[in-house]
């Protein structure tokens, strides 16, 4: 069952790299904050690298001016997420989160079977807006699409 508007985000740990690998609890990440979290099927993949992440990089300051934090997540390891962020000139403050085993993705009910492409289980392309850990907006793309999870669309909703 997929998460829906009004649901509390599940408590799971994610990872990122700062001074080494850092484990983040989703409650600590979302509680008391306004956050747009967008997920991509894979770092360094075409649509994710050419459109999805660059859109949030380009509009990062607009989200921040509204008091909204921005986080990118993929079912990749934290080293890949760090390298991808560096290659995309991600600004300080845009969180590059690794859901290495897909635990958060599964808990959200937003997993994608990409095994036909040699990628195993990944996250569907989606974006959500949460206030204090509760989902206020949820936009999940149809397979092969990139529209409703874009930075521009999410800005129009928050």
């Amino acid at each position: 069952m997929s998460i829906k508007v009004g649901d509390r985000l599940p408590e799971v740990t994610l990872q990122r790299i700062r001074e080494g690998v850092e484990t983040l609890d989703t409650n600590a990440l979302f509680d008391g904050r306004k956050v747009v979290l967008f997920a991509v099927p894979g770092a360094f993949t075409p649509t994710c690298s050419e459109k999805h992440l660059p859109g949030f990089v380009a509009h990062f300051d607009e989200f921040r001016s509204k008091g909204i934090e921005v986080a990118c997540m993929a079912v990749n390891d934290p080293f890949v997420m760090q390298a991808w962020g560096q290659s995309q000139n991600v600004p300080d403050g845009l969180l590059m989160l690794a859901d290495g085993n897909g635990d958060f993705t599964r808990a959200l009910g937003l997993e994608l079977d990409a095994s036909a492409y040699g990628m195993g289980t990944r996250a569907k392309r989606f974006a959500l807006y949460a206030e204090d850990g509760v989902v206020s907006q949820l936009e999940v793309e149809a397979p092969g699409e990139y529209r409703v999870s874009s930075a521009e669309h999410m800005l129009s909703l928050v």
Side-chain angles (χ1 to χ4, degrees):
M1 180 121 161
S2 178
I3 195 160
K4 59 190 179 312
V5 170
D7 286 351
R8 181 154 194 73
L9 290 166
E11 185 174 8
V12 180
T13 57
L14 298 169
Q15 293 181 315
R16 70 175 171 182
I17 294 185
R18 280 177 139 178
E19 302 297 319
V21 177
E22 177 183 359
T23 299
L24 302 165
D25 176 87
T26 52
N27 283 353
L29 190 62
F30 292 104
D31 287 357
R33 295 185 168 106
K34 297 176 182 179
V35 181
V36 167
L37 169 72
F38 68 100
V40 298
F44 293 104
T45 57
T47 301
C48 306
S49 292
E50 295 166 11
K51 296 178 183 175
H52 210 171
L53 180 55
F56 280 93
V57 168
H59 294 286
F60 179 72
D61 289 335
E62 292 171 66
F63 285 104
R64 292 305 286 261
S65 72
K66 295 181 175 207
I68 299 169
E69 297 182 45
V70 180
C72 174
M73 183 188 78
V75 179
N76 285 114
D77 66 69
F79 302 100
V80 167
M81 293 302 288
Q82 178 189 42
W84 188 40
Q86 290 170 343
S87 76
Q88 292 283 321
N89 299 310
V90 167
D92 285 341
L94 195 158
L95 302 175
M96 298 298 288
L97 303 173
D99 184 19
N101 294 324
D103 295 337
F104 191 52
T105 299
R106 266 190 304 285
L108 293 171
L110 294 172
E111 62 269 21
L112 167 71
D113 180 3
S115 56
Y117 307 102
M119 296 169 62
T121 301
R122 298 294 180 113
K124 290 180 180 178
R125 185 179 308 282
F126 72 87
L128 64 80
Y129 172 65
E131 289 188 19
D132 196 26
V134 176
V135 179
S136 298
Q137 297 287 335
L138 175 63
E139 301 293 332
V140 182
E141 298 286 1
E145 291 204 1
Y146 168 70
R147 190 174 49 83
V148 297
S149 66
S150 71
E152 296 81 6
H153 183 72
M154 292 306 291
L155 270 170
S156 76
L157 300 176
V158 297

